[in-house]
Amino acid sequence: MRIDIMTLFPDMCNSVLGESIIGRARAAGKVEINTVDIRDYTEDKHRRVDDKPYGGGMGMILQAQPIFSCFNAICEKCAEKPHLIYMTPQGKTLTQSKVKELAKLDNIAILCGHYEGVDERVIDELQPEEISIGDYVLTGGELPALILADSISRMLDGVLSGEECFTDESHYSSLLEYPQYTHPSVWNEREVPEVLLSGHHENVDRWRRQQSLLRTAQRRPDMLKNAELTDEDKMYLTEHGYTTI
Ligand code: ADE
């Protein structure tokens, strides 16, 4: 998988992409993530990429030409045309199922918006998929692009150490993750649940499943409708006062 992030702030992205799991995955060639400076593609002799909005108003608008040329340059380097995504609070909210869908692609390009927005004509021309990371507004699309690149990368083969790393986790199976504990077994007079110290794997698995069910029912009941629940799961939730469909 190759991901190209189109941004005015490549250093901001590179500092995050060089660290931890994603940094190691890139170094090992499990995922290729490039940051591409939109400014390198401006035809303006002063390297400008933005201008005042027609009709007046606050802030500056990213111009169409540098973005268009930047995307075309990326296309030329890819075997097939990348799927273009524009990070914007006006897009569809990112979900784990969208992440899974995108992780199947070979080439993705992500456009980070900045300032007050992007000239609408380049959006009309390139028809990107518009994605938001939530109903709040950030100063730019870099953090959202990094979130998207991270969430996709961790789904790729060999990026995490084992499949269990993500099959167990929150949202993967439409259930929230069970609580986790580590040493010491008593901290601030708080004890680790006894079942986890028992060494009885079947009981541990059952307890964890039940904790996931309870947490989801309490915190995110909307997720339960997408979860695959066994008869035992449903019985457990009913016994604890939660209704299932
Ligand atoms: N740019 C600014 N805010 C954003 C958001 N919530 N999601 C995606 N891109 C953004």
Side-chain angles (χ1 to χ4, degrees):
M1 150 89 68
R2 172 182 169 140
I3 302 174
D4 288 273
I5 301 178
M6 301 156 66
T7 171
L8 287 176
F9 302 97
D11 292 347
M12 178 176 171
C13 300
N14 289 334
S15 65
V16 173
L17 295 168
E19 298 285 339
S20 187
I21 297 174
I22 304 302
R24 284 197 297 274
R26 288 174 78 203
K30 306 286 181 200
V31 58
E32 177 180 348
I33 309 179
N34 308 303
T35 53
V36 189
D37 192 341
I38 297 170
R39 199 178 295 278
D40 288 345
Y41 295 90
T42 180
E43 287 167 7
D44 181 84
K45 62 176 184 291
H46 305 294
R47 282 179 54 85
R48 272 187 79 165
V49 288
D50 60 342
D51 214 327
K52 294 191 286 284
Y54 277 119
M58 298 265 287
M60 299 294 268
I61 308 297
L62 270 177
Q63 290 171 298
Q65 177 275 315
I67 293 171
F68 189 65
S69 302
C70 181
F71 182 61
N72 284 338
I74 292 168
C75 289
E76 275 169 26
K77 289 184 193 142
C78 295
E80 61 181 79
K81 194 172 173 193
H83 178 66
L84 179 61
I85 295 166
Y86 171 38
M87 303 311 300
T88 163
Q90 298 182 22
K92 260 197 167 174
T93 309
L94 185 63
T95 60
Q96 189 63 32
S97 67
K98 174 51 78 176
V99 171
K100 270 196 258 180
E101 190 188 308
L102 294 172
K104 293 185 190 135
L105 302 176
D106 290 329
N107 283 297
I108 291 176
I110 307 174
L111 171 62
C112 306
H114 233 275
Y115 309 118
E116 292 309 308
V118 163
D119 189 316
E120 193 65 22
R121 291 168 296 182
V122 75
I123 303 300
D124 293 342
E125 182 72 29
L126 296 175
Q127 299 276 316
E129 176 174 13
E130 301 191 12
I131 294 183
S132 163
I133 58 158
D135 288 342
Y136 43 86
V137 182
L138 301 168
T139 54
E142 281 71 19
L143 292 171
L146 291 168
I147 285 172
L148 181 63
D150 183 292
S151 62
I152 292 171
S153 300
R154 66 188 288 286
M155 302 298 294
L156 304 177
D157 282 348
V159 171
L160 297 182
S161 47
E163 207 188 325
E164 75 280 3
C165 295
F166 59 86
T167 49
D168 259 13
E169 277 176 32
S170 299
H171 294 280
Y172 190 82
S173 53
S174 287
L175 288 179
L176 297 180
E177 202 184 357
Y178 46 79
Q180 298 269 32
Y181 303 86
T182 187
H183 288 271
S185 60
V186 182
W187 174 81
N188 257 8
E189 292 173 26
R190 294 175 186 273
E191 291 177 11
V192 170
E194 217 175 298
V195 61
L196 299 179
L197 310 174
S198 69
H200 192 301
H201 296 303
E202 215 174 290
N203 287 352
V204 169
D205 287 348
R206 187 180 314 110
W207 181 85
R208 286 179 163 167
R209 179 78 185 173
Q210 291 170 347
Q211 289 294 311
S212 282
L213 290 165
L214 276 186
R215 284 206 157 180
T216 313
Q218 287 159 353
R219 300 176 188 199
R220 291 292 307 275
D222 57 298
M223 284 171 63
L224 278 181
K225 63 178 182 307
N226 297 321
E228 278 175 38
L229 300 181
T230 63
D231 288 344
E232 194 184 328
D233 292 337
K234 288 181 190 166
M235 210 152 64
Y236 181 80
L237 285 170
T238 313
E239 277 167 10
H240 286 79
Y242 297 99
T243 45
T244 57
I245 25 160

